[in-house]
Amino acid sequence: MTFADFMGKVFVFDRYGELVALLSQSIIAGAILGVIGGFVGLFVMLRRHAFAVHAVAEMSFAGAALFLLLGYNVVTGSLVGSIISALLIALMGARAHENDSIIGALMPFGLGLGILFLSLYSGRAANKFSLLTGQIVSVDSAQLTSMIIGGVVIIAALAIMWRPLMFASLDSVVASAKGVPLKALSVAFMIVLGIATALSVQVVGSLLVLALLITPAAAALQITASPLRALILSVLFAEIAMVGGILLALAGSLPISPYVTTLSFFIFVVCRLVRAIRQRYSASGRVRSSEAATASSPAGGQSS
């Protein structure tokens, strides 16, 4: 394949305006997922649950594949798989090493189950592929309504849990000493994470849900330590990745996931560069301040 052929597949702007109008529901769904991903992703990063997101996504894939094989609603199967895996991680992973063991066991199990169910499925190949990499044209009115309801539930739950969950995420030892119910918070947050993952899998696919629930929040935390500013930036970055990825995907013949992951990674790299530049100038400033203080000292910068 030549470079021109590659670009011809990635960007094709013929009748672009008509496609945007036709798939407006997918764009709205992407915007909703951006808000969900920004909110949930912040706590995923603060609680160091990036590994758990991968396990929940793969169990979500297994649930969706099972329901596809049985002829039931794929979204419901995805939600069932996500909730079951999230509860298993929350209830069985009391300690960090136990958590890693359970997540490590669930990931290949979920992926293997999903591949098994898809291998037994004799329907359209496009349905199999969309479970892994997402499909922007699959969002209909019923799915959009479920995303709106799910988004409201997730944001409301995180708003109610905000203070104790933030406290427990930043310093679990002190939070436990103060009487914060860590176990109940962990279970509640994992259920929220399971719902968010199930909603995201419909658009970006189970293999690339990390680009929505981890990368935007990780990028935001590179440039700010304030929880509120990190939340705002996380939502903003997730919106740019999701809506921008959908708009670019409408111009090409590829699945949506490569566009979303590329934008998301580009944002993360830029934020890393901003952080590195800040640290360098901050270090230079401290050096200059130290040199100026030494030069202006009565000893003229010489040690006694």
Side-chain angles (χ1 to χ4, degrees):
M1 175 183 289
T2 64
F3 181 72
D5 293 336
F6 173 75
M7 294 302 292
K9 282 185 172 293
V10 176
F11 299 111
V12 183
F13 286 97
D14 295 339
R15 304 175 67 183
Y16 185 72
E18 296 177 19
L19 283 174
V20 171
L22 184 64
L23 298 177
S24 58
Q25 286 187 339
S26 297
I27 298 172
I28 296 172
I32 295 170
L33 289 180
V35 175
I36 295 172
F39 269 81
V40 177
L42 175 63
F43 286 103
V44 167
M45 293 308 300
L46 292 178
R47 298 175 68 82
R48 299 179 180 180
H49 277 352
F51 202 35
V53 173
H54 204 169
V56 173
E58 291 186 358
M59 287 299 290
S60 174
F61 161 63
L66 175 62
F67 274 53
L68 179 66
L69 175 65
L70 298 177
Y72 296 121
N73 185 279
V74 172
V75 178
T76 304
S78 174
L79 185 61
V80 170
S82 295
I83 297 293
I84 290 175
S85 58
L87 286 175
L88 284 174
I89 294 170
L91 294 174
M92 298 175 67
R95 297 182 179 84
H97 70 279
E98 293 176 347
N99 215 5
D100 287 345
S101 300
I102 293 166
I103 293 169
L106 281 177
M107 284 174 58
F109 179 63
L111 188 58
L113 276 182
I115 292 172
L116 171 65
F117 297 143
L118 285 190
S119 301
L120 297 175
Y121 177 70
S122 58
R124 294 176 58 221
N127 292 336
K128 303 179 184 179
F129 197 59
S130 64
L131 291 181
L132 294 170
T133 61
Q135 191 176 38
I136 56 174
V137 297
S138 63
V139 180
D140 54 25
S141 298
Q143 285 178 300
L144 184 60
T145 302
S146 69
M147 283 187 184
I148 294 173
I149 295 173
V152 171
V153 170
I154 288 171
I155 303 303
L158 290 179
I160 293 171
M161 295 189 293
W162 178 270
R163 287 179 65 86
L165 187 61
M166 183 62 70
F167 189 15
S169 303
L170 295 175
D171 195 334
S172 60
V173 176
V174 177
S176 177
K178 293 287 186 181
V180 175
L182 298 184
K183 191 73 175 181
L185 279 174
S186 177
V187 172
F189 176 71
M190 290 306 293
I191 292 174
V192 168
L193 176 60
I195 297 172
T197 303
L199 294 176
S200 304
V201 164
Q202 301 175 53
V203 177
V204 297
S206 59
L207 295 183
L208 300 170
V209 72
L210 302 180
L212 177 63
L213 295 182
I214 294 177
T215 314
L221 290 171
Q222 294 295 315
I223 56 177
T224 182
S226 164
L228 182 59
R229 283 198 292 271
L231 174 65
I232 294 171
L233 289 173
S234 177
V235 172
L236 176 64
F237 294 158
E239 289 290 345
I240 294 173
M242 276 304 305
V243 178
I246 291 174
L247 292 176
L248 287 175
L250 292 179
S253 58
L254 303 177
I256 182 178
S257 47
Y259 299 95
V260 174
T261 53
T262 302
L263 281 176
S264 192
F265 180 70
F266 179 74
I267 292 169
F268 179 78
V269 171
V270 170
C271 289
R272 284 285 296 180
L273 289 174
V274 170
R275 180 184 179 183
I277 292 171
R278 276 184 178 176
Q279 288 177 336
R280 180 172 182 177
Y281 276 94
S282 175
S284 300
R286 283 198 295 271
V287 170
R288 284 197 297 271
S289 299
S290 175
E291 289 174 347
T294 303
S296 61
S297 67
Q302 297 179 353
S303 60
S304 57

